[in-house]
Amino acid sequence: MGRITSFADLMGMIKDKASQGKAALVSSHTKSKTVSFHLSVLRATTHDPSTPPGNRHLAVLLSAGTGSRATAASAVESIMERLHTTRDACVALKSLIIIHHIVKHGRFILQDQLSVFPASGGRNYLKLSGFRDEKSPLMWELSSWVRWYALYLEHLLSTSRIMGFFISSTSSTIHKEEYEEMVSSLTNSDLLREIDALVGLLEEACKIPDLPFSGGKSLADKITHLVGEDYVSSINELYTRLNEFKERSNTLSFGDMIELVCALKRLESCKERLSEICHGNWKRGWIDGFWGLVLEVKGIIGNLEDNYGQIEKSIVGFGTREKRYESARFTDRLIIGYGDAVRFSSGRFSSVDRFNFPVSGGRL
């Protein structure tokens, strides 16, 4: 526990001790997995703004993915109950960090329970758009982080549903050949849909609040690091899809070109802010190579038509594509089978020096 600087800190510490003591007492009289997960959630989501959830408690919660579906559901229910009942910004942020860890490191059975919770869902299923903690200036600052982080995670879950796997997940790995075949089998419409979702996720990442002045830096740093990893995974996915469009450039319709240019312009508007978020944490040359591809694809599209200005004018009227972040519960998209797919076979993958980054993700 960090240094007590106010009456609110003292009350938070008392609440943590009381709730953990009660849960530990119940746990000692029962072997219920639900009680065990509840205790781990309480220990991982203290009121202390100086410490993010501990690795030991995160490991216990992630272990729910090795059991039955009922076990996984019990763990997710404990996390969501903690998130939805607290009025403390630190507790809410730590609960959201746990959710982010499940997306990144949880096994599929655990991720799947998270992606469908609650079953009746809808927009803002994390229900934190109106979150306010007015106990102190720090809690007020961290409240803006809670509201943004909850919305970001909703975008992450929705984008993962569109993509067909959890972005930046380490739970499973797709073989490179299988992955490249899958991407080459997608229609232009599906590729544009996925690019639109990925760009939308990066746009939401750019809205990350400034670091709080009153404290809580360790929580903000933890969240920023997790979002930075998502950024790397997202541009890895975008790289593959933009390279695919580069190979298909001569087959693109005028409408496809407009949508692609719209997405690229939105993407470029994120570049500066994303570089601030990820400064010093990632290989600069690696990321610069991606932005070079963005410029290259824009240039190819521009060279296809003498009336490139007509595309630019069309973009003004076209606007950005409608966001499809309905929730993580919308119906799965129709996946085109390899037998029915429109293939764009060529030697492009043998000649392209794709980023040396593992293609991973738990399949939805």
Side-chain angles (χ1 to χ4, degrees), residues 105-291:
H105 304 296
R107 295 197 176 188
F108 172 73
I109 192 172
L110 188 60
Q111 294 171 328
D112 187 52
Q113 288 299 311
L114 179 63
S115 68
V116 299
F117 186 94
S120 57
R123 285 187 180 273
N124 192 33
Y125 90 108
L126 294 178
K127 301 179 181 178
L128 295 174
S129 59
F131 188 91
R132 299 287 189 282
D133 183 349
E134 302 177 355
K135 292 193 299 292
S136 69
L138 173 59
M139 294 300 104
W140 181 255
E141 282 189 278
L142 292 181
S143 293
S144 66
W145 277 78
V146 172
R147 294 190 297 272
W148 166 79
Y149 198 20
L151 184 57
Y152 172 80
L153 289 177
E154 284 194 14
H155 276 73
L156 179 61
L157 289 171
S158 296
T159 301
S160 296
R161 180 66 66 182
I162 290 173
M163 299 295 294
F165 57 88
F166 288 93
I167 297 171
S168 77
S169 172
T170 60
S171 63
S172 64
T173 301
I174 311 170
H175 292 298
K176 181 181 178 182
E177 293 77 12
E178 177 188 350
Y179 177 78
E180 292 171 345
E181 183 179 12
M182 180 273 292
V183 173
S184 65
S185 298
L186 294 175
T187 64
N188 289 347
S189 178
D190 277 336
L191 282 173
L192 287 168
R193 183 170 181 250
E194 291 182 351
I195 289 174
D196 178 63
L198 289 165
V199 173
L201 178 63
L202 293 179
E203 287 177 323
E204 192 60 40
C206 289
K207 298 176 185 177
I208 188 170
D210 294 329
L211 288 175
F213 290 105
S214 308
K217 185 176 183 298
S218 61
L219 286 176
D221 286 344
K222 179 66 174 179
I223 294 168
T224 301
H225 182 77
L226 290 170
V227 172
E229 291 178 339
D230 292 341
Y231 165 48
V232 173
S233 296
S234 295
I235 65 173
N236 189 60
E237 300 297 337
L238 282 166
Y239 180 93
T240 304
R241 285 151 182 79
L242 292 180
N243 190 67
E244 180 65 28
F245 266 128
K246 186 174 74 171
E247 295 297 325
R248 300 185 189 185
S249 58
N250 291 326
T251 67
L252 296 180
S253 68
F254 188 72
D256 290 340
M257 287 191 286
I258 292 176
E259 292 198 46
L260 185 54
V261 170
C262 278
L264 294 177
K265 290 173 73 69
R266 289 165 54 205
L267 186 58
E268 285 184 312
S269 69
C270 298
K271 181 178 179 180
E272 183 176 352
R273 180 57 174 157
L274 289 171
S275 66
E276 295 173 357
I277 296 172
C278 301
H279 64 281
N281 294 332
W282 318 104
K283 293 181 180 179
R284 182 54 49 193
W286 190 87
I287 294 178
D288 288 344
F290 166 74
W291 291 110

Side-chain angles (χ1 to χ4, degrees), residues 6 38 60 84 129 150 222 241 251 269 312 331 354:
S6 67
H38 180 60
V60 172
H84 289 157
S129 59
K222 179 66 174 179
R241 285 151 182 79
T251 67
S269 69
E312 292 287 335
T331 55
R354 188 169 179 273

Side-chain angles (χ1 to χ4, degrees), residues 2-13:
R3 185 165 57 93
I4 298 175
T5 58
S6 67
F7 179 72
D9 290 341
L10 177 61
M11 290 302 298
M13 184 179 69

Side-chain angles (χ1 to χ4, degrees), residues 61-123:
L61 293 170
L62 290 177
S63 71
T66 63
S68 65
R69 188 170 296 276
T71 299
S74 176
V76 171
E77 184 178 359
S78 295
I79 297 165
M80 289 299 189
E81 181 183 6
R82 181 66 161 164
L83 177 64
H84 289 157
T85 57
T86 188
R87 295 182 179 179
D88 185 90
C90 290
V91 173
L93 277 179
K94 292 179 183 184
S95 298
L96 292 171
I97 288 174
I98 294 174
I99 292 173
H100 206 162
H101 267 273
I102 291 176
V103 173
K104 290 181 62 63
H105 304 296
R107 295 197 176 188
F108 172 73
I109 192 172
L110 188 60
Q111 294 171 328
D112 187 52
Q113 288 299 311
L114 179 63
S115 68
V116 299
F117 186 94
S120 57
R123 285 187 180 273

